[in-house]
Amino acid sequence: MKHQIGGHDDKNLSYSYSLIEGGPLGDKLEKISYDNKFEAAAGGGSLCKSSMKFYTVGDYVITEDEIKAQIKGSEGVYKAVEAYLLANP
Protein backbone atom coordinates (compact mmCIF):
# COMPACT_ATOMS: atom_id res chain seq x y z
CA MET A 1 0.00 0.00 0.00
CA LYS A 2 1.12 3.55 -0.65
CA HIS A 3 0.11 6.46 1.57
CA GLN A 4 0.46 10.19 1.02
CA ILE A 5 0.89 12.42 4.06
CA GLY A 6 -1.52 15.35 3.94
CA GLY A 7 -0.08 17.25 6.86
CA HIS A 8 -0.06 17.62 10.60
CA ASP A 9 -0.91 20.32 13.10
CA ASP A 10 1.10 20.10 16.33
CA LYS A 11 -0.98 22.79 18.01
CA ASN A 12 -4.31 21.01 17.39
CA LEU A 13 -2.87 17.48 17.70
CA SER A 14 -4.16 16.43 14.30
CA TYR A 15 -2.85 14.85 11.12
CA SER A 16 -4.15 13.68 7.77
CA TYR A 17 -3.09 11.20 5.14
CA SER A 18 -4.51 9.35 2.15
CA LEU A 19 -4.28 5.76 0.96
CA ILE A 20 -3.48 6.27 -2.72
CA GLU A 21 -2.40 2.84 -3.95
CA GLY A 22 -3.00 -0.81 -3.14
CA GLY A 23 -4.84 -2.41 -0.25
CA PRO A 24 -8.62 -2.06 -0.34
CA LEU A 25 -8.74 0.43 -3.23
CA GLY A 26 -9.10 -2.09 -6.03
CA ASP A 27 -10.54 -0.65 -9.22
CA LYS A 28 -13.49 1.12 -7.54
CA LEU A 29 -11.74 3.59 -5.26
CA GLU A 30 -9.27 6.28 -6.29
CA LYS A 31 -8.20 6.99 -2.71
CA ILE A 32 -9.33 7.08 0.91
CA SER A 33 -8.46 10.17 2.96
CA TYR A 34 -8.13 10.01 6.74
CA ASP A 35 -8.26 12.90 9.21
CA ASN A 36 -7.33 12.24 12.86
CA LYS A 37 -7.51 14.53 15.87
CA PHE A 38 -6.46 13.70 19.42
CA GLU A 39 -8.17 15.21 22.47
CA ALA A 40 -7.75 14.79 26.21
CA ALA A 41 -10.27 12.37 27.72
CA ALA A 42 -12.23 13.41 30.81
CA GLY A 43 -10.99 10.46 32.87
CA GLY A 44 -7.39 10.71 31.68
CA GLY A 45 -5.74 9.40 28.56
CA SER A 46 -6.87 10.59 25.15
CA LEU A 47 -9.51 10.17 22.47
CA CYS A 48 -8.82 9.92 18.76
CA LYS A 49 -11.54 11.29 16.51
CA SER A 50 -11.11 9.95 13.01
CA SER A 51 -12.94 10.51 9.74
CA MET A 52 -12.62 8.79 6.39
CA LYS A 53 -13.53 10.19 2.98
CA PHE A 54 -13.89 7.85 0.02
CA TYR A 55 -13.09 8.98 -3.52
CA THR A 56 -14.65 6.62 -6.03
CA VAL A 57 -13.66 5.94 -9.62
CA GLY A 58 -16.15 7.19 -12.19
CA ASP A 59 -19.78 6.96 -11.12
CA TYR A 60 -19.25 4.05 -8.73
CA VAL A 61 -21.29 4.36 -5.50
CA ILE A 62 -19.71 2.76 -2.45
CA THR A 63 -22.11 0.63 -0.40
CA GLU A 64 -22.79 0.86 3.32
CA ASP A 65 -21.31 -2.64 3.77
CA GLU A 66 -18.08 -1.57 2.05
CA ILE A 67 -17.85 1.47 4.31
CA LYS A 68 -18.43 -0.66 7.42
CA ALA A 69 -15.69 -3.07 6.30
CA GLN A 70 -13.24 -0.18 5.87
CA ILE A 71 -14.10 1.21 9.31
CA LYS A 72 -13.67 -2.23 10.90
CA GLY A 73 -10.24 -2.58 9.29
CA SER A 74 -9.16 0.83 10.55
CA GLU A 75 -10.42 0.06 14.05
CA GLY A 76 -8.24 -3.05 14.07
CA VAL A 77 -5.13 -0.94 13.48
CA TYR A 78 -6.06 1.52 16.24
CA LYS A 79 -6.76 -1.30 18.70
CA ALA A 80 -3.36 -2.86 17.98
CA VAL A 81 -1.61 0.50 18.50
CA GLU A 82 -3.60 1.09 21.71
CA ALA A 83 -2.66 -2.36 23.07
CA TYR A 84 1.00 -1.73 22.32
CA LEU A 85 0.99 1.70 23.95
CA LEU A 86 -0.78 0.41 27.07
CA ALA A 87 1.74 -2.43 27.37
CA ASN A 88 4.71 -0.09 26.76
CA PRO A 89 3.92 3.23 28.49
Side-chain angles (χ1 to χ4, degrees):
M1 292 190 292
K2 186 185 283 186
H3 292 87
Q4 179 179 37
I5 304 300
H8 71 281
D9 183 341
D10 292 339
K11 182 179 177 184
N12 292 309
L13 302 174
S14 63
Y15 69 96
S16 62
Y17 67 97
S18 296
L19 173 61
I20 59 171
E21 189 175 301
L25 296 179
D27 59 349
K28 298 174 183 172
L29 295 173
E30 177 186 334
K31 68 180 179 177
I32 304 171
S33 292
Y34 302 85
D35 290 307
N36 298 290
K37 180 173 176 53
F38 292 88
E39 299 176 354
S46 61
L47 296 172
C48 177
K49 294 185 177 185
S50 181
S51 65
M52 300 168 74
K53 187 171 182 180
F54 299 90
Y55 295 84
T56 59
V57 173
D59 59 353
Y60 180 76
V61 177
I62 191 166
T63 68
E64 189 70 28
D65 287 339
E66 290 172 311
I67 292 171
K68 287 179 182 178
Q70 293 299 324
I71 291 170
K72 187 175 181 178
S74 292
E75 287 175 346
V77 172
Y78 282 106
K79 290 192 182 292
V81 169
E82 177 185 38
Y84 176 82
L85 292 173
L86 289 172
N88 300 281

PDB file of all heavy atoms in Angstrom, residues 30-62:
ATOM      1  N   GLU A  30     -10.471   5.531  -5.903  1.00  0.00           N
ATOM      2  CA  GLU A  30      -9.275   6.281  -6.294  1.00  0.00           C
ATOM      3  C   GLU A  30      -8.360   6.449  -5.089  1.00  0.00           C
ATOM      4  O   GLU A  30      -7.151   6.264  -5.179  1.00  0.00           O
ATOM      5  CB  GLU A  30      -9.694   7.650  -6.818  1.00  0.00           C
ATOM      6  CG  GLU A  30      -8.537   8.547  -7.186  1.00  0.00           C
ATOM      7  CD  GLU A  30      -9.005   9.943  -7.573  1.00  0.00           C
ATOM      8  OE1 GLU A  30     -10.159  10.097  -8.033  1.00  0.00           O
ATOM      9  OE2 GLU A  30      -8.210  10.874  -7.406  1.00  0.00           O
ATOM     10  N   LYS A  31      -8.962   6.827  -3.940  1.00  0.00           N
ATOM     11  CA  LYS A  31      -8.202   6.994  -2.715  1.00  0.00           C
ATOM     12  C   LYS A  31      -9.159   7.049  -1.534  1.00  0.00           C
ATOM     13  O   LYS A  31     -10.369   7.222  -1.711  1.00  0.00           O
ATOM     14  CB  LYS A  31      -7.337   8.251  -2.735  1.00  0.00           C
ATOM     15  CG  LYS A  31      -8.118   9.553  -2.721  1.00  0.00           C
ATOM     16  CD  LYS A  31      -7.169  10.746  -2.734  1.00  0.00           C
ATOM     17  CE  LYS A  31      -7.945  12.063  -2.743  1.00  0.00           C
ATOM     18  NZ  LYS A  31      -7.049  13.214  -2.692  1.00  0.00           N
ATOM     19  N   ILE A  32      -8.595   6.890  -0.334  1.00  0.00           N
ATOM     20  CA  ILE A  32      -9.327   7.084   0.913  1.00  0.00           C
ATOM     21  C   ILE A  32      -8.515   8.069   1.736  1.00  0.00           C
ATOM     22  O   ILE A  32      -7.326   7.846   1.972  1.00  0.00           O
ATOM     23  CB  ILE A  32      -9.500   5.778   1.708  1.00  0.00           C
ATOM     24  CG1 ILE A  32     -10.183   4.705   0.867  1.00  0.00           C
ATOM     25  CG2 ILE A  32     -10.291   6.040   2.992  1.00  0.00           C
ATOM     26  CD1 ILE A  32     -10.195   3.325   1.532  1.00  0.00           C
ATOM     27  N   SER A  33      -9.143   9.164   2.143  1.00  0.00           N
ATOM     28  CA  SER A  33      -8.458  10.169   2.960  1.00  0.00           C
ATOM     29  C   SER A  33      -8.886  10.022   4.417  1.00  0.00           C
ATOM     30  O   SER A  33     -10.058   9.797   4.705  1.00  0.00           O
ATOM     31  CB  SER A  33      -8.780  11.582   2.473  1.00  0.00           C
ATOM     32  OG  SER A  33      -8.206  11.794   1.211  1.00  0.00           O
ATOM     33  N   TYR A  34      -7.913  10.153   5.309  1.00  0.00           N
ATOM     34  CA  TYR A  34      -8.133  10.006   6.739  1.00  0.00           C
ATOM     35  C   TYR A  34      -7.732  11.299   7.446  1.00  0.00           C
ATOM     36  O   TYR A  34      -6.671  11.855   7.170  1.00  0.00           O
ATOM     37  CB  TYR A  34      -7.267   8.879   7.307  1.00  0.00           C
ATOM     38  CG  TYR A  34      -7.487   7.538   6.659  1.00  0.00           C
ATOM     39  CD1 TYR A  34      -6.814   7.183   5.491  1.00  0.00           C
ATOM     40  CD2 TYR A  34      -8.351   6.605   7.216  1.00  0.00           C
ATOM     41  CE1 TYR A  34      -6.997   5.946   4.895  1.00  0.00           C
ATOM     42  CE2 TYR A  34      -8.542   5.361   6.631  1.00  0.00           C
ATOM     43  CZ  TYR A  34      -7.871   5.041   5.475  1.00  0.00           C
ATOM     44  OH  TYR A  34      -8.049   3.810   4.886  1.00  0.00           O
ATOM     45  N   ASP A  35      -8.569  11.762   8.353  1.00  0.00           N
ATOM     46  CA  ASP A  35      -8.261  12.904   9.212  1.00  0.00           C
ATOM     47  C   ASP A  35      -8.386  12.428  10.656  1.00  0.00           C
ATOM     48  O   ASP A  35      -9.398  11.821  11.030  1.00  0.00           O
ATOM     49  CB  ASP A  35      -9.229  14.060   8.974  1.00  0.00           C
ATOM     50  CG  ASP A  35      -9.017  14.719   7.634  1.00  0.00           C
ATOM     51  OD1 ASP A  35      -7.869  15.114   7.350  1.00  0.00           O
ATOM     52  OD2 ASP A  35      -9.990  14.841   6.869  1.00  0.00           O
ATOM     53  N   ASN A  36      -7.357  12.686  11.467  1.00  0.00           N
ATOM     54  CA  ASN A  36      -7.333  12.239  12.860  1.00  0.00           C
ATOM     55  C   ASN A  36      -7.010  13.407  13.768  1.00  0.00           C
ATOM     56  O   ASN A  36      -6.133  14.215  13.469  1.00  0.00           O
ATOM     57  CB  ASN A  36      -6.277  11.148  13.044  1.00  0.00           C
ATOM     58  CG  ASN A  36      -6.598   9.935  12.211  1.00  0.00           C
ATOM     59  OD1 ASN A  36      -7.530   9.219  12.487  1.00  0.00           O
ATOM     60  ND2 ASN A  36      -5.827   9.723  11.152  1.00  0.00           N
ATOM     61  N   LYS A  37      -7.734  13.481  14.876  1.00  0.00           N
ATOM     62  CA  LYS A  37      -7.507  14.534  15.865  1.00  0.00           C
ATOM     63  C   LYS A  37      -7.546  13.890  17.243  1.00  0.00           C
ATOM     64  O   LYS A  37      -8.454  13.121  17.558  1.00  0.00           O
ATOM     65  CB  LYS A  37      -8.570  15.615  15.757  1.00  0.00           C
ATOM     66  CG  LYS A  37      -8.397  16.738  16.757  1.00  0.00           C
ATOM     67  CD  LYS A  37      -9.380  17.858  16.494  1.00  0.00           C
ATOM     68  CE  LYS A  37      -9.320  18.965  17.515  1.00  0.00           C
ATOM     69  NZ  LYS A  37      -8.053  19.550  17.774  1.00  0.00           N
ATOM     70  N   PHE A  38      -6.550  14.224  18.060  1.00  0.00           N
ATOM     71  CA  PHE A  38      -6.465  13.700  19.416  1.00  0.00           C
ATOM     72  C   PHE A  38      -6.908  14.760  20.405  1.00  0.00           C
ATOM     73  O   PHE A  38      -6.570  15.934  20.263  1.00  0.00           O
ATOM     74  CB  PHE A  38      -5.027  13.251  19.716  1.00  0.00           C
ATOM     75  CG  PHE A  38      -4.630  12.046  18.919  1.00  0.00           C
ATOM     76  CD1 PHE A  38      -4.086  12.191  17.652  1.00  0.00           C
ATOM     77  CD2 PHE A  38      -4.822  10.777  19.417  1.00  0.00           C
ATOM     78  CE1 PHE A  38      -3.729  11.091  16.902  1.00  0.00           C
ATOM     79  CE2 PHE A  38      -4.471   9.664  18.676  1.00  0.00           C
ATOM     80  CZ  PHE A  38      -3.919   9.818  17.414  1.00  0.00           C
ATOM     81  N   GLU A  39      -7.682  14.319  21.422  1.00  0.00           N
ATOM     82  CA  GLU A  39      -8.169  15.207  22.467  1.00  0.00           C
ATOM     83  C   GLU A  39      -7.991  14.523  23.811  1.00  0.00           C
ATOM     84  O   GLU A  39      -8.031  13.299  23.911  1.00  0.00           O
ATOM     85  CB  GLU A  39      -9.651  15.520  22.258  1.00  0.00           C
ATOM     86  CG  GLU A  39      -9.955  16.228  20.954  1.00  0.00           C
ATOM     87  CD  GLU A  39     -11.436  16.455  20.723  1.00  0.00           C
ATOM     88  OE1 GLU A  39     -12.261  15.955  21.522  1.00  0.00           O
ATOM     89  OE2 GLU A  39     -11.771  17.126  19.741  1.00  0.00           O
ATOM     90  N   ALA A  40      -7.851  15.330  24.859  1.00  0.00           N
ATOM     91  CA  ALA A  40      -7.746  14.792  26.210  1.00  0.00           C
ATOM     92  C   ALA A  40      -9.091  14.196  26.615  1.00  0.00           C
ATOM     93  O   ALA A  40     -10.147  14.779  26.356  1.00  0.00           O
ATOM     94  CB  ALA A  40      -7.350  15.891  27.184  1.00  0.00           C
ATOM     95  N   ALA A  41      -9.057  13.018  27.231  1.00  0.00           N
ATOM     96  CA  ALA A  41     -10.268  12.366  27.720  1.00  0.00           C
ATOM     97  C   ALA A  41     -10.558  12.851  29.143  1.00  0.00           C
ATOM     98  O   ALA A  41      -9.636  13.173  29.898  1.00  0.00           O
ATOM     99  CB  ALA A  41     -10.098  10.851  27.693  1.00  0.00           C
ATOM    100  N   ALA A  42     -11.823  12.904  29.505  1.00  0.00           N
ATOM    101  CA  ALA A  42     -12.228  13.405  30.813  1.00  0.00           C
ATOM    102  C   ALA A  42     -11.606  12.608  31.952  1.00  0.00           C
ATOM    103  O   ALA A  42     -11.199  13.161  32.958  1.00  0.00           O
ATOM    104  CB  ALA A  42     -13.750  13.387  30.926  1.00  0.00           C
ATOM    105  N   GLY A  43     -11.518  11.311  31.820  1.00  0.00           N
ATOM    106  CA  GLY A  43     -10.986  10.456  32.875  1.00  0.00           C
ATOM    107  C   GLY A  43      -9.497  10.183  32.749  1.00  0.00           C
ATOM    108  O   GLY A  43      -8.971   9.260  33.358  1.00  0.00           O
ATOM    109  N   GLY A  44      -8.805  10.948  31.950  1.00  0.00           N
ATOM    110  CA  GLY A  44      -7.389  10.713  31.684  1.00  0.00           C
ATOM    111  C   GLY A  44      -7.213  10.038  30.339  1.00  0.00           C
ATOM    112  O   GLY A  44      -8.167   9.576  29.727  1.00  0.00           O
ATOM    113  N   GLY A  45      -6.014  10.002  29.859  1.00  0.00           N
ATOM    114  CA  GLY A  45      -5.738   9.405  28.556  1.00  0.00           C
ATOM    115  C   GLY A  45      -6.158  10.334  27.437  1.00  0.00           C
ATOM    116  O   GLY A  45      -6.206  11.546  27.596  1.00  0.00           O
ATOM    117  N   SER A  46      -6.493   9.764  26.302  1.00  0.00           N
ATOM    118  CA  SER A  46      -6.869  10.588  25.154  1.00  0.00           C
ATOM    119  C   SER A  46      -7.893   9.884  24.282  1.00  0.00           C
ATOM    120  O   SER A  46      -8.080   8.678  24.367  1.00  0.00           O
ATOM    121  CB  SER A  46      -5.629  10.931  24.314  1.00  0.00           C
ATOM    122  OG  SER A  46      -5.042   9.755  23.824  1.00  0.00           O
ATOM    123  N   LEU A  47      -8.556  10.662  23.456  1.00  0.00           N
ATOM    124  CA  LEU A  47      -9.508  10.172  22.469  1.00  0.00           C
ATOM    125  C   LEU A  47      -8.976  10.529  21.083  1.00  0.00           C
ATOM    126  O   LEU A  47      -8.410  11.601  20.892  1.00  0.00           O
ATOM    127  CB  LEU A  47     -10.870  10.842  22.639  1.00  0.00           C
ATOM    128  CG  LEU A  47     -11.619  10.595  23.929  1.00  0.00           C
ATOM    129  CD1 LEU A  47     -12.857  11.494  23.984  1.00  0.00           C
ATOM    130  CD2 LEU A  47     -12.033   9.149  24.020  1.00  0.00           C
ATOM    131  N   CYS A  48      -9.182   9.642  20.149  1.00  0.00           N
ATOM    132  CA  CYS A  48      -8.824   9.924  18.764  1.00  0.00           C
ATOM    133  C   CYS A  48     -10.118   9.980  17.957  1.00  0.00           C
ATOM    134  O   CYS A  48     -10.858   8.998  17.896  1.00  0.00           O
ATOM    135  CB  CYS A  48      -7.910   8.843  18.199  1.00  0.00           C
ATOM    136  SG  CYS A  48      -7.513   9.109  16.457  1.00  0.00           S
ATOM    137  N   LYS A  49     -10.378  11.139  17.385  1.00  0.00           N
ATOM    138  CA  LYS A  49     -11.535  11.290  16.507  1.00  0.00           C
ATOM    139  C   LYS A  49     -11.024  11.184  15.078  1.00  0.00           C
ATOM    140  O   LYS A  49     -10.120  11.909  14.682  1.00  0.00           O
ATOM    141  CB  LYS A  49     -12.209  12.626  16.753  1.00  0.00           C
ATOM    142  CG  LYS A  49     -12.811  12.714  18.136  1.00  0.00           C
ATOM    143  CD  LYS A  49     -13.585  13.989  18.339  1.00  0.00           C
ATOM    144  CE  LYS A  49     -14.212  13.981  19.714  1.00  0.00           C
ATOM    145  NZ  LYS A  49     -15.080  15.153  19.913  1.00  0.00           N
ATOM    146  N   SER A  50     -11.609  10.253  14.350  1.00  0.00           N
ATOM    147  CA  SER A  50     -11.114   9.953  13.008  1.00  0.00           C
ATOM    148  C   SER A  50     -12.255  10.012  12.005  1.00  0.00           C
ATOM    149  O   SER A  50     -13.378   9.598  12.299  1.00  0.00           O
ATOM    150  CB  SER A  50     -10.493   8.557  13.012  1.00  0.00           C
ATOM    151  OG  SER A  50      -9.977   8.242  11.756  1.00  0.00           O
ATOM    152  N   SER A  51     -11.952  10.529  10.819  1.00  0.00           N
ATOM    153  CA  SER A  51     -12.935  10.506   9.741  1.00  0.00           C
ATOM    154  C   SER A  51     -12.269   9.974   8.480  1.00  0.00           C
ATOM    155  O   SER A  51     -11.063  10.107   8.296  1.00  0.00           O
ATOM    156  CB  SER A  51     -13.523  11.900   9.503  1.00  0.00           C
ATOM    157  OG  SER A  51     -12.533  12.786   9.044  1.00  0.00           O
ATOM    158  N   MET A  52     -13.091   9.356   7.650  1.00  0.00           N
ATOM    159  CA  MET A  52     -12.619   8.790   6.393  1.00  0.00           C
ATOM    160  C   MET A  52     -13.472   9.378   5.267  1.00  0.00           C
ATOM    161  O   MET A  52     -14.678   9.527   5.417  1.00  0.00           O
ATOM    162  CB  MET A  52     -12.788   7.269   6.379  1.00  0.00           C
ATOM    163  CG  MET A  52     -12.028   6.554   7.472  1.00  0.00           C
ATOM    164  SD  MET A  52     -12.526   4.813   7.646  1.00  0.00           S
ATOM    165  CE  MET A  52     -11.776   4.100   6.213  1.00  0.00           C
ATOM    166  N   LYS A  53     -12.818   9.700   4.154  1.00  0.00           N
ATOM    167  CA  LYS A  53     -13.534  10.189   2.978  1.00  0.00           C
ATOM    168  C   LYS A  53     -13.129   9.315   1.797  1.00  0.00           C
ATOM    169  O   LYS A  53     -11.943   9.134   1.531  1.00  0.00           O
ATOM    170  CB  LYS A  53     -13.194  11.653   2.702  1.00  0.00           C
ATOM    171  CG  LYS A  53     -14.025  12.253   1.596  1.00  0.00           C
ATOM    172  CD  LYS A  53     -13.818  13.743   1.492  1.00  0.00           C
ATOM    173  CE  LYS A  53     -14.703  14.318   0.404  1.00  0.00           C
ATOM    174  NZ  LYS A  53     -14.517  15.773   0.287  1.00  0.00           N
ATOM    175  N   PHE A  54     -14.129   8.769   1.126  1.00  0.00           N
ATOM    176  CA  PHE A  54     -13.895   7.852   0.023  1.00  0.00           C
ATOM    177  C   PHE A  54     -14.043   8.583  -1.305  1.00  0.00           C
ATOM    178  O   PHE A  54     -15.038   9.275  -1.532  1.00  0.00           O
ATOM    179  CB  PHE A  54     -14.894   6.699   0.069  1.00  0.00           C
ATOM    180  CG  PHE A  54     -14.798   5.884   1.335  1.00  0.00           C
ATOM    181  CD1 PHE A  54     -15.551   6.200   2.447  1.00  0.00           C
ATOM    182  CD2 PHE A  54     -13.935   4.807   1.412  1.00  0.00           C
ATOM    183  CE1 PHE A  54     -15.459   5.462   3.612  1.00  0.00           C
ATOM    184  CE2 PHE A  54     -13.835   4.061   2.568  1.00  0.00           C
ATOM    185  CZ  PHE A  54     -14.597   4.396   3.678  1.00  0.00           C
ATOM    186  N   TYR A  55     -13.055   8.415  -2.177  1.00  0.00           N
ATOM    187  CA  TYR A  55     -13.087   8.982  -3.523  1.00  0.00           C
ATOM    188  C   TYR A  55     -13.230   7.820  -4.501  1.00  0.00           C
ATOM    189  O   TYR A  55     -12.316   7.014  -4.636  1.00  0.00           O
ATOM    190  CB  TYR A  55     -11.806   9.763  -3.814  1.00  0.00           C
ATOM    191  CG  TYR A  55     -11.645  10.984  -2.939  1.00  0.00           C
ATOM    192  CD1 TYR A  55     -11.098  10.878  -1.673  1.00  0.00           C
ATOM    193  CD2 TYR A  55     -12.053  12.233  -3.386  1.00  0.00           C
ATOM    194  CE1 TYR A  55     -10.953  11.997  -0.860  1.00  0.00           C
ATOM    195  CE2 TYR A  55     -11.911  13.359  -2.586  1.00  0.00           C
ATOM    196  CZ  TYR A  55     -11.362  13.229  -1.324  1.00  0.00           C
ATOM    197  OH  TYR A  55     -11.223  14.336  -0.524  1.00  0.00           O
ATOM    198  N   THR A  56     -14.375   7.737  -5.143  1.00  0.00           N
ATOM    199  CA  THR A  56     -14.648   6.616  -6.034  1.00  0.00           C
ATOM    200  C   THR A  56     -14.194   6.907  -7.458  1.00  0.00           C
ATOM    201  O   THR A  56     -14.022   8.054  -7.855  1.00  0.00           O
ATOM    202  CB  THR A  56     -16.152   6.281  -6.040  1.00  0.00           C
ATOM    203  OG1 THR A  56     -16.884   7.428  -6.453  1.00  0.00           O
ATOM    204  CG2 THR A  56     -16.624   5.852  -4.656  1.00  0.00           C
ATOM    205  N   VAL A  57     -14.020   5.845  -8.212  1.00  0.00           N
ATOM    206  CA  VAL A  57     -13.656   5.945  -9.623  1.00  0.00           C
ATOM    207  C   VAL A  57     -14.943   6.049 -10.437  1.00  0.00           C
ATOM    208  O   VAL A  57     -15.877   5.263 -10.243  1.00  0.00           O
ATOM    209  CB  VAL A  57     -12.836   4.716 -10.070  1.00  0.00           C
ATOM    210  CG1 VAL A  57     -12.601   4.732 -11.565  1.00  0.00           C
ATOM    211  CG2 VAL A  57     -11.519   4.654  -9.310  1.00  0.00           C
ATOM    212  N   GLY A  58     -14.979   7.038 -11.321  1.00  0.00           N
ATOM    213  CA  GLY A  58     -16.150   7.194 -12.191  1.00  0.00           C
ATOM    214  C   GLY A  58     -17.416   7.447 -11.397  1.00  0.00           C
ATOM    215  O   GLY A  58     -17.422   8.197 -10.433  1.00  0.00           O
ATOM    216  N   ASP A  59     -18.501   6.761 -11.790  1.00  0.00           N
ATOM    217  CA  ASP A  59     -19.777   6.961 -11.119  1.00  0.00           C
ATOM    218  C   ASP A  59     -20.086   5.855 -10.107  1.00  0.00           C
ATOM    219  O   ASP A  59     -21.230   5.685  -9.699  1.00  0.00           O
ATOM    220  CB  ASP A  59     -20.905   7.088 -12.144  1.00  0.00           C
ATOM    221  CG  ASP A  59     -21.027   5.849 -13.031  1.00  0.00           C
ATOM    222  OD1 ASP A  59     -20.163   4.948 -12.937  1.00  0.00           O
ATOM    223  OD2 ASP A  59     -21.975   5.794 -13.836  1.00  0.00           O
ATOM    224  N   TYR A  60     -19.047   5.120  -9.700  1.00  0.00           N
ATOM    225  CA  TYR A  60     -19.245   4.049  -8.726  1.00  0.00           C
ATOM    226  C   TYR A  60     -19.766   4.622  -7.408  1.00  0.00           C
ATOM    227  O   TYR A  60     -19.296   5.652  -6.932  1.00  0.00           O
ATOM    228  CB  TYR A  60     -17.935   3.285  -8.480  1.00  0.00           C
ATOM    229  CG  TYR A  60     -18.096   2.175  -7.472  1.00  0.00           C
ATOM    230  CD1 TYR A  60     -18.723   0.995  -7.831  1.00  0.00           C
ATOM    231  CD2 TYR A  60     -17.650   2.337  -6.177  1.00  0.00           C
ATOM    232  CE1 TYR A  60     -18.901  -0.016  -6.906  1.00  0.00           C
ATOM    233  CE2 TYR A  60     -17.823   1.328  -5.239  1.00  0.00           C
ATOM    234  CZ  TYR A  60     -18.452   0.155  -5.609  1.00  0.00           C
ATOM    235  OH  TYR A  60     -18.633  -0.839  -4.680  1.00  0.00           O
ATOM    236  N   VAL A  61     -20.735   3.953  -6.794  1.00  0.00           N
ATOM    237  CA  VAL A  61     -21.288   4.355  -5.500  1.00  0.00           C
ATOM    238  C   VAL A  61     -20.900   3.284  -4.485  1.00  0.00           C
ATOM    239  O   VAL A  61     -21.259   2.112  -4.636  1.00  0.00           O
ATOM    240  CB  VAL A  61     -22.828   4.507  -5.573  1.00  0.00           C
ATOM    241  CG1 VAL A  61     -23.385   4.844  -4.196  1.00  0.00           C
ATOM    242  CG2 VAL A  61     -23.205   5.570  -6.589  1.00  0.00           C
ATOM    243  N   ILE A  62     -20.157   3.687  -3.473  1.00  0.00           N
ATOM    244  CA  ILE A  62     -19.709   2.757  -2.446  1.00  0.00           C
ATOM    245  C   ILE A  62     -20.899   2.377  -1.565  1.00  0.00           C
ATOM    246  O   ILE A  62     -21.740   3.223  -1.242  1.00  0.00           O
ATOM    247  CB  ILE A  62     -18.549   3.358  -1.622  1.00  0.00           C
ATOM    248  CG1 ILE A  62     -17.917   2.294  -0.740  1.00  0.00           C
ATOM    249  CG2 ILE A  62     -18.995   4.565  -0.827  1.00  0.00           C
ATOM    250  CD1 ILE A  62     -16.575   2.709  -0.165  1.00  0.00           C
TER     251      ILE A  62
END
